[in-house]
């Protein structure tokens, strides 16, 4: 079992490395062609930031598939199944639509039609749902039209769920990375634990998706230097849906042979096993809930379901006092709890301790939500290893050394050493990182002093 793990790790690392290395040149390309939309009312960043990060992610996807095709333990996926080629075809189409949207802002209905076409392309090449395990009925075979409609619906829902949650730096890439990690653990168990070859493509898709997200995250964490845009969010949403479709509708429950008895009894007893396979309802439950709430909210207010607003879950976290980074970490926490909790429950559904752990972690998450203004402080011995905002000693020294005339009303607010830059610090989440041309200048005051104006 070790050798296939090494092949997956190699594929993941190559995908991440290619994505990471391509993101820098893609950022410069996005700046050159003007793919930097103006700041909108619903945005939480305050400096124009280039998009088109999906170009680098698509390059990582292609590199991962090429490497996997040349590895001994993974090339059988390409020989025995057409699903990798189906994924690449659908991904190329949805990526192209996303690139056009990042540059020209195409209509939402056109994007929806493109998503359906991309899903249909994958269905034509064999990546479709063939049957569903339904409790009480057993394994229900689907007709061609039923499988096509269900596949298209799953792809569209997953793409838009990921797209809707892409509102904070590093949020979408991190949540999808968590989801793909949980999904990889489950599909790997199906393939090598039970010898089900039909789970091999989904395992490969999950490994590649983790590499795409991990390679892009260093450039996209707050403060972000580049956004993935629709070209990236729709791409990773499609890959996530493709993995779910590959396993949910093509793994035969009888092949696992976990239970004896009738097919109906086996399917009912195996219900926990199929929980992680319903990907949009479990692993991306947070984005899916945000999608449903957004549609209800906009429709209730008489707006189009595709009209953008500032009512998403991550916006609410900012409004109640959480910082940008803290809001992202809270969303990571809940996504990981749901994803890995579902995987753990599917493996040991009869174990009470799994339920107790999930309940305990949920309580911890609720406590974190109720303490939005709590700022952790590192112990003195660890201050050199943490960011400056967590260093107690430095913050206290700066407060004591600051002249009295530089304090605000009541001396409770320390004056900024650069008042001109501090004056633009308005909004909900702080300045969003680098400018569109490069890192934020450190010589603003000197340049202004030398300016003839």
């Amino acid at each position: 079992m070790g050798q296939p793990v090494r092949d997956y790790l190699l594929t993941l690392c190559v995908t991440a490395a290619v994505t990471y290395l391509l993101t820098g040149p893609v950022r410069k390309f996005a700046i050159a062609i003007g793919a930097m939309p103006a700041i909108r009312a619903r945005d939480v960043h305050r400096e124009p930031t280039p998009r088109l990060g999906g170009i680098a992610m698509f390059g990582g996807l292609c590199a991962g598939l090429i490497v996997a095709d040349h590895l001994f333990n993974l090339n059988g996926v390409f020989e025995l199944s057409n699903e990798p080629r189906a994924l690449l075809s659908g991904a190329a189409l949805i990526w192209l639509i996303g690139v056009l949207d990042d540059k020209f802002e195409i209509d939402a209905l056109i994007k929806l039609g493109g998503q359906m076409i991309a899903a249909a392309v994958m269905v034509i090449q064999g990546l479709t749902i063939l049957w569903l395990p339904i409790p009480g009925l057993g394994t229900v075979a689907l007709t061609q039209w039923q499988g096509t409609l269900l596949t298209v619906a799953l792809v569209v829902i997953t793409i838009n769920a990921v797209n809707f949650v892409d509102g904070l730096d590093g949020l979408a890439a991190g949540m999808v990375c968590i989801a793909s990690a949980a999904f990889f653990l489950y599909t790997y168990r199906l393939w090598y634990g039970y010898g089900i070859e039909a789970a091999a493509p989904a395992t490969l898709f999950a490994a590649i998706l983790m590499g795409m997200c991990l390679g892009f995250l260093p450039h996209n964490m707050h403060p972000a230097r580049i956004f993935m845009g629709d070209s990236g969010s729709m791409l990773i949403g499609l890959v996530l849906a493709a993995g779910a479709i590959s396993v949910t509708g093509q793994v035969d429950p009888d092949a696992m042979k976990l239970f004896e008895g009738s097919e109906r009894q086996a399917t009912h007893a195996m219900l926990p096993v199929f929980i992680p396979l319903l990907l949009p309802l479990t692993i991306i439950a947070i984005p899916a809930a945000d999608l449903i709430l957004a549609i209800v909210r906009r429709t209730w207010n008489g707006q189009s379901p595709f009209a953008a607003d500032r009512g998403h879950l991550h916006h609410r976290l900012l409004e109640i006092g959480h910082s940008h980074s803290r809001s992202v970490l809270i969303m990571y926490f809940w996504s990981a709890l749901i994803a890995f909790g579902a995987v753990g429950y599917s493996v040991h559904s009869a174990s009470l301790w799994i339920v107790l752990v999930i309940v305990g972690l949920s309580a911890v998450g609720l406590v974190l939500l109720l303490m939005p203004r709590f700022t952790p402080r590192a112990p003195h011995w660890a201050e050199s290893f943490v960011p400056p905002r967590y260093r107690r000693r430095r913050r206290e020294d700066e407060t004591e050394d600051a002249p009295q005339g530089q304090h605000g009303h009541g001396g409770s607010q320390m004056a900024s050493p650069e008042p001109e830059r501090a004056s633009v610090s308005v909004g909900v989440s702080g300045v969003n990182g680098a400018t569109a041309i490069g890192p934020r200048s450190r010589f603003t005051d000197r340049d202004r002093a030398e300016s003839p104006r």
Side-chain angles (χ1 to χ4, degrees):
M1 186 177 292
Q3 192 170 358
V5 171
R6 289 196 296 268
D7 289 347
Y8 280 119
L9 289 178
L10 177 60
T11 302
L12 187 153
C13 291
V14 170
T15 304
V18 172
T19 303
Y20 177 82
L21 295 175
L22 286 179
T23 304
V26 167
R27 179 178 181 271
K28 296 181 180 179
F29 172 74
I31 296 173
I33 66 174
M36 296 182 301
I39 304 299
R40 300 163 295 186
R42 70 179 188 272
D43 292 334
V44 298
H45 62 282
R46 280 167 285 145
E47 298 180 8
T49 306
R51 294 182 178 179
L52 294 177
I55 296 179
M57 303 179 84
F58 183 74
L61 171 66
C62 296
L65 290 175
I66 292 174
V67 170
D69 191 22
H70 289 81
L71 295 177
F72 175 76
N73 290 283
L74 301 182
N75 62 354
V77 177
F78 298 84
E79 297 176 356
L80 303 176
S81 173
N82 197 45
E83 294 181 10
R85 284 176 283 274
L87 170 67
L88 184 60
S89 301
L93 180 57
I94 203 68
W95 169 77
L96 180 60
I97 296 172
V99 169
L100 295 177
D101 180 68
D102 290 341
K103 176 62 175 121
F104 302 106
E105 295 283 347
I106 63 179
D107 186 74
L109 291 178
I110 297 178
K111 289 194 294 183
L112 180 62
Q115 296 167 8
M116 294 181 178
I117 294 174
V121 168
M122 294 193 300
V123 170
I124 293 174
Q125 300 189 55
L127 187 56
T128 183
I129 297 177
L130 301 178
W131 50 67
L132 284 177
I134 300 178
L137 296 178
T139 302
V140 178
L142 301 178
T143 64
Q144 182 177 0
W145 281 106
Q146 290 174 339
T148 300
L149 292 176
L150 189 57
T151 301
V152 172
L154 183 61
V155 170
V156 172
I157 290 174
T158 308
I159 288 176
N160 286 281
V162 175
N163 192 19
F164 274 39
V165 82
D166 184 25
L168 296 179
D169 298 348
L171 181 58
M175 291 182 68
V176 172
C177 184
I178 293 171
S180 57
F183 194 61
F184 174 83
L185 294 178
Y186 186 79
T187 54
Y188 186 87
R189 176 173 174 264
L190 285 184
W191 187 7
Y192 288 98
Y194 298 104
I196 301 176
E197 292 291 337
T203 310
L204 176 61
F205 297 164
I208 292 176
L209 185 56
M210 277 193 290
M212 294 166 61
C213 296
L214 290 175
F216 185 73
L217 269 176
H219 300 274
N220 190 235
M221 292 299 293
H222 183 72
R225 293 174 55 85
I226 186 173
F227 296 152
M228 68 172 65
D230 282 2
S231 59
S233 62
M234 293 198 299
L235 175 63
I236 61 178
L238 181 135
V239 178
L240 195 60
I245 293 168
S246 177
V247 173
T248 304
Q250 302 203 20
V251 172
D252 187 357
D254 292 336
M256 301 180 72
K257 298 180 180 178
L258 295 179
F259 306 97
E260 297 179 356
S262 65
E263 183 180 5
R264 178 180 301 181
Q265 293 175 347
T267 304
H268 180 73
M270 289 170 53
L271 177 60
V273 176
F274 287 94
I275 289 179
L277 304 182
L278 302 176
L279 200 64
L281 301 179
T282 56
I283 293 185
I284 59 169
I286 300 296
D290 195 18
L291 171 64
I292 296 174
L293 292 175
I295 294 176
V296 173
R297 179 179 64 252
R298 295 167 184 174
T299 306
W300 183 268
N301 294 330
Q303 300 176 343
S304 169
F306 303 101
D309 58 15
R310 288 178 59 87
H312 294 290
L313 295 177
H314 48 272
H315 291 140
R316 300 293 180 90
L317 291 174
L318 294 174
E319 290 175 359
I320 65 176
H322 293 288
S323 66
H324 190 293
S325 300
R326 187 183 179 88
S327 300
V328 172
L329 292 177
I330 289 175
M331 298 287 282
Y332 285 177
F333 171 82
W334 286 107
S335 298
L337 179 62
I338 295 174
F340 288 98
V343 172
Y345 183 71
S346 69
V347 176
H348 298 288
S349 58
S351 299
L352 181 61
W353 66 269
I354 295 181
V355 179
L356 296 178
V357 169
I358 294 175
V359 172
L361 291 177
S362 300
V364 172
L366 292 176
V367 172
L368 294 177
L369 287 175
L370 296 175
M371 301 171 58
R373 299 186 184 280
F374 171 74
T375 302
R377 290 288 180 265
H380 295 299
W381 59 268
E383 288 184 349
S384 58
F385 303 101
V386 298
R389 62 179 178 272
Y390 300 131
R391 299 174 187 173
R392 188 196 316 266
R393 185 181 306 168
R394 177 170 297 183
R395 290 177 63 89
E396 294 176 353
D397 295 343
E398 291 176 353
T399 305
E400 294 175 358
D401 296 340
Q404 296 295 327
Q406 292 183 355
H407 290 274
H409 298 289
S412 60
Q413 183 176 1
M414 186 173 63
S416 172
E418 296 180 359
E420 292 86 353
R421 290 170 58 187
S423 62
V424 301
S425 216
V426 295
V428 278
S429 65
V431 177
N432 184 28
T435 62
I437 298 179
R440 194 183 297 113
S441 175
R442 300 182 181 179
F443 308 99
T444 305
D445 296 336
R446 187 184 68 182
D447 295 342
R448 290 178 179 177
E450 296 176 355
S451 175
R453 300 179 184 175

